[in-house]
Amino acid sequence: MVQIVISSAGAGGLAQWVLVELQGEVEPRQSGGLAGSLLGDLHYTREGVPVLIVGHHILYGKVVQLEKPFAVLVKRGAGEPSPEEPHARYAVTALIKTKLLFKTRPKPIITNVPKKV
């Protein structure tokens, strides 16, 4: 049986993260992964609707409260269990209670359409 110890600095000290859910796939221009790279710009309308601008595309989403919140955990201590410290230890660094859901297809941003001559 694996026992996991989870500690927290208290509800006031935890960061609040937001989960972003997109329809389909996000493919990078380079052959590398997406880790550490900028995806786009996130804005909110006056009504609170999230707007994600990715390149020359715009996505409109909605804010959804999660039924069960997620906890972001960081492993603390040595990786191998020892007789003095037999259990793995984790610390809660953030909570995720809401997500931004972008389920519609992206729309192209067209700024200047030339007139037919």
Side-chain angles (χ1 to χ4, degrees):
M1 176 198 287
V2 177
Q3 293 183 351
I4 300 174
V5 178
I6 298 175
S7 65
S8 172
L14 293 177
Q16 294 289 326
W17 288 11
V18 177
L19 184 69
V20 176
E21 184 175 322
L22 301 169
Q23 174 200 13
E25 297 179 22
V26 178
E27 295 181 7
R29 290 184 181 179
Q30 296 82 16
S31 61
L34 288 171
S37 56
L38 179 67
L39 176 65
D41 295 325
L42 179 63
H43 303 276
Y44 288 90
T45 64
R46 290 188 178 125
E47 294 81 26
V49 176
V51 178
L52 182 63
I53 299 172
V54 180
H56 296 290
H57 295 87
I58 188 167
L59 294 106
Y60 294 96
K62 64 179 180 178
V63 179
V64 177
Q65 298 297 321
L66 295 174
E67 250 181 65
K68 295 182 180 181
F70 292 110
V72 179
L73 305 176
V74 175
K75 191 171 186 176
R76 303 282 187 208
E80 291 296 321
S82 64
E84 303 86 32
E85 198 67 36
H87 310 298
R89 293 194 178 274
Y90 293 89
V92 178
T93 57
L95 292 176
I96 303 173
K97 294 182 179 180
T98 58
K99 75 175 175 180
L100 303 179
L101 179 61
F102 296 95
K103 63 181 181 179
T104 59
R105 296 186 67 86
K107 296 173 179 60
I109 298 174
I110 302 172
T111 57
N112 187 9
V113 179
K115 296 179 182 177
K116 291 187 177 181
V117 195

